[in-house]
Amino acid sequence: MRRLKLILKGCLPTEFWDLLAKSKSFVYHNCIDLYNLYLIKKAPRRHRKALEIVRKKEVIKVAFFLTHESVWKYDILYNLMLQHTKFEPQLFVCPVVNFGKENMLIEMDKTFKTFKKKGYDVIKTYNSETGKYLDIKKTFSPDIIFYTNPYEGLQDYRFYVKQFSKKLTCYVPYAVMTTNYDSFYNLNFHNLVWKIFSETSIHKEIASQKQINKGKNNIVTGYPGFDQLLINKTPNKGVWKNKIQTLKKIIWAPHHLMNELNEVSNFLEYYDFFLELADIYRDKIQIAFKPHPLLRIKLEKDVNWGKEKTDKYYNKWVGLENGQFENSEYLDLFLTSDALIHDCGSFMSEYLIVGKPSLFMIRSESVMKEWSSFGEKAVSVHYQSRDKKELIDFIEDVVLKENDWMKEERNNFVQNILIQKDSSTASQNILNYLESQLFR
């Protein structure tokens, strides 16, 4: 057979084999798409059956699948379940595999240690010594699973939603979404998961227009990521390295999309300038460099940067007297800061909750065309800069002179759109919904 193939390959033109390869690829991908549609159509029936089973249980096991620590929004919900007589929550750190095994092990170890230090009962799902993955179905047998990330291929396939189609799967978006990209609303994940707890009624409406299932699995509860920012009245000021009280505290949070999608990140144009600002205003401000976790990975792989240059740059922030590098939880950092400068959509709404002024850096006007109806409203209550002069004006006028003329407009947006009308936290709203479905 092998010899026959070689003879045929020599006789038939290259174009024929190219066409055959394309045909096979076309058929394969169409079969995958049809199978995914089948799973989506079948999902509600499977969820109804799972719900019937769970309702008969005395104690309901809840697994929280954590990837990066920065996307964890379940602090209060997890603790509410710990105190509940009918829930048994457990936190699992899942492998992030889209940037190779070395990065997977680093991220998993870092996240595990962070949550262990915070007092969580946390379990790794990969054993680096044996090379084996934890079979959660056997060891824990969850009834409900909460995801922190929707992307297939980001975490290991063993923990993706398709492996738990007969379970009640839930999702809180890892950020308050500000753009219209289908990947934020209409992946297979969004249509396969049992419930998505939406940030606002605007997001639910967008989901109803974009999702294959018309957003029928979306429940508006408010955003759990706001809860800690709203209820924490005694944040830790010690997160800032420099203890001089007169220094204004500014967070700089650059995104990682330098060359992809809408190329929103200003990092390549401003990385040296922010070090200059830290030097020029060294007796007036301190800056916390809070980059997106993926920025470092992409810089290390970039031909013009590489690991050595990236490490050198990040270490400059570590060594600055009035600067610091932040790569973990940001709750206390937000609450004790005076301002945020960023180009990161995921921070756009969360920081508004704090009540402090925020500047959104616009790299190009094409970025401003990508907003959803929610994103347009959110960015409109931000100060904006398109060049270095406007950035300096924000620091000098709004931060140092405290001329925050957009404060009332920001607060109206927070009260009328971001926060739910009832007095409960978003986490409590989620728990109330689960109780209404499970404990009839």
Side-chain angles (χ1 to χ4, degrees):
M1 183 58 71
R2 183 172 179 273
R3 187 177 178 185
L4 178 61
K5 285 181 179 178
L6 289 172
I7 293 170
L8 288 172
K9 193 170 184 179
C11 296
L12 295 171
T14 304
E15 290 81 1
F16 171 82
W17 297 109
D18 290 342
L19 181 61
L20 183 61
K22 290 177 182 177
S23 299
K24 286 173 67 178
S25 177
F26 176 79
V27 171
Y28 172 77
H29 285 103
N30 271 272
C31 287
I32 293 295
D33 290 342
L34 286 171
Y35 178 63
N36 286 329
L37 287 173
Y38 164 76
L39 292 178
I40 291 168
K41 187 175 181 179
K42 200 170 182 179
R45 188 185 306 169
R46 285 179 165 174
H47 293 146
R48 284 194 295 270
K49 288 184 178 180
L51 194 55
E52 290 174 8
I53 294 170
V54 174
R55 282 173 177 166
K56 297 174 183 177
K57 296 192 174 186
E58 289 295 320
V59 176
I60 297 169
K61 293 186 174 183
V62 185
F64 289 85
F65 283 3
L66 174 60
T67 51
H68 299 97
E69 59 181 294
S70 59
V71 298
W72 173 255
K73 309 299 177 185
Y74 296 118
D75 254 320
I76 293 179
L77 178 62
Y78 180 88
N79 285 313
L80 286 171
M81 287 186 172
L82 274 180
Q83 299 161 19
H84 203 286
T85 57
K86 291 194 174 184
F87 288 110
E88 182 186 332
Q90 179 64 58
L91 180 56
F92 295 91
V93 182
C94 298
V96 177
V97 298
N98 60 335
F99 283 100
K101 189 170 183 179
E102 182 182 357
N103 181 69
M104 178 193 95
L105 294 173
I106 291 171
E107 284 295 328
M108 179 172 275
D109 191 54
K110 186 178 84 166
T111 302
F112 176 81
K113 288 178 179 177
T114 297
F115 280 82
K116 202 72 176 174
K117 188 177 180 181
K118 288 168 65 175
Y120 280 91
D121 180 14
V122 56
I123 297 173
K124 284 185 181 181
T125 55
Y126 177 78
N127 188 318
S128 57
E129 294 181 3
T130 63
K132 292 183 178 180
Y133 294 87
L134 184 67
D135 188 340
I136 292 175
K137 291 179 184 177
K138 289 183 178 179
T139 59
F140 186 67
S141 187
D143 302 300
I144 302 175
I145 299 167
F146 274 87
Y147 281 89
T148 55
N149 203 295
Y151 303 118
E152 188 170 10
L154 183 141
Q155 64 185 20
D156 189 273
Y157 75 91
R158 296 168 183 83
F159 309 99
Y160 189 61
V161 67
K162 289 180 181 178
Q163 303 297 321
F164 298 91
S165 59
K166 295 181 181 180
K167 303 291 183 179
L168 297 177
T169 45
C170 303
Y171 175 57
V172 166
Y174 60 86
V176 180
M177 299 307 174
T178 55
T179 58
N180 266 325
Y181 296 135
D182 285 350
S183 58
F184 293 156
Y185 294 96
N186 195 36
L187 299 175
N188 291 321
F189 176 92
H190 296 102
N191 295 284
L192 290 171
V193 73
W194 175 50
K195 297 298 174 187
I196 296 172
F197 296 107
S198 290
E199 311 96 295
T200 70
S201 56
I202 300 176
H203 291 90
K204 179 177 172 61
E205 177 60 28
I206 296 172
S208 70
Q209 296 170 10
K210 284 186 169 289
Q211 282 182 226
I212 294 172
N213 66 9
K214 306 300 181 185
K216 292 179 180 178
N217 57 346
N218 279 247
I219 308 296
V220 180
T221 56
Y223 192 57
F226 296 158
D227 291 350
Q228 288 275 34
L229 295 169
L230 289 167
I231 67 176
N232 189 333
K233 305 302 180 185
T234 56
N236 176 22
K237 295 181 180 179
V239 294
W240 292 88
K241 183 172 72 176
N242 195 306
K243 307 306 177 186
I244 299 176
Q245 296 297 315
T246 56
L247 295 180
K248 292 291 186 180
K249 303 175 183 66
I250 298 175
I251 303 167
W252 173 41
H255 202 263
H256 68 92
L257 290 177
M258 299 171 286
N259 303 304
E260 312 104 296
L261 292 178
N262 58 353
E263 299 180 352
V264 68
S265 176
N266 291 264
F267 177 80
L268 295 176
E269 291 83 5
Y270 281 86
Y271 67 92
D272 272 337
F273 188 65
F274 271 92
L275 288 171
E276 291 175 20
L277 290 174
D279 182 52
I280 293 169
Y281 295 98
R282 58 186 174 275
D283 59 340
K284 295 180 179 178
I285 68 172
Q286 57 177 314
I287 302 176
F289 173 48
K290 181 75 177 72
H292 191 288
L294 292 181
L295 179 63
R296 186 168 198 157
I297 298 169
K298 290 186 176 180
L299 288 174
E300 288 176 353
K301 294 180 180 296
D302 187 90
V303 292
N304 296 314
W305 276 73
K307 190 175 189 310
E308 185 178 346
K309 182 178 178 180
T310 302
D311 288 344
K312 185 177 180 181
Y313 180 79
Y314 276 61
N315 287 334
K316 283 182 180 179
W317 285 101
V318 175
L320 276 183
E321 186 178 343
N322 65 324
Q324 60 195 72
F325 164 56
E326 292 292 332
N327 68 339
S328 57
E329 190 176 71
Y330 50 86
L331 174 69
D332 289 318
L333 195 73
F334 271 22
L335 288 170
T336 57
S337 65
D338 295 296
L340 170 70
I341 298 173
H342 74 113
D343 48 30
C344 187
S346 59
F347 280 170
M348 188 169 285
S349 297
E350 282 188 72
Y351 194 77
L352 292 178
I353 297 293
V354 178
K356 308 290 179 61
S358 181
L359 173 77
F360 186 80
M361 300 175 66
I362 300 168
R363 187 180 187 185
S364 69
E365 294 309 315
S366 62
V367 172
M368 302 300 282
K369 298 175 182 178
E370 301 290 343
W371 304 120
S372 64
S373 55
F374 174 86
E376 288 176 352
K377 297 179 191 301
V379 77
S380 71
V381 295
H382 275 68
Y383 295 96
Q384 298 174 9
S385 70
R386 289 168 170 80
D387 54 43
K388 293 176 181 178
K389 181 183 180 303
E390 290 178 340
L391 173 58
I392 292 173
D393 289 344
F394 173 76
I395 293 173
E396 293 189 348
D397 189 36
V398 180
V399 181
L400 294 178
K401 295 180 182 177
E402 300 183 358
N403 181 25
D404 184 8
W405 53 269
M406 293 192 76
K407 185 172 185 176
E408 185 176 352
E409 195 174 350
R410 283 199 314 273
N411 290 342
N412 288 337
F413 176 77
V414 170
Q415 296 301 323
N416 295 327
I417 295 179
L418 291 186
I419 299 178
Q420 297 299 295
K421 298 303 179 186
D422 58 51
S423 57
S424 298
T425 62
S427 299
Q428 186 65 58
N429 289 338
I430 293 172
L431 186 67
N432 291 345
Y433 178 81
L434 291 176
E435 288 178 329
S436 72
Q437 298 299 301
L438 301 172
F439 308 135
R440 289 181 177 178

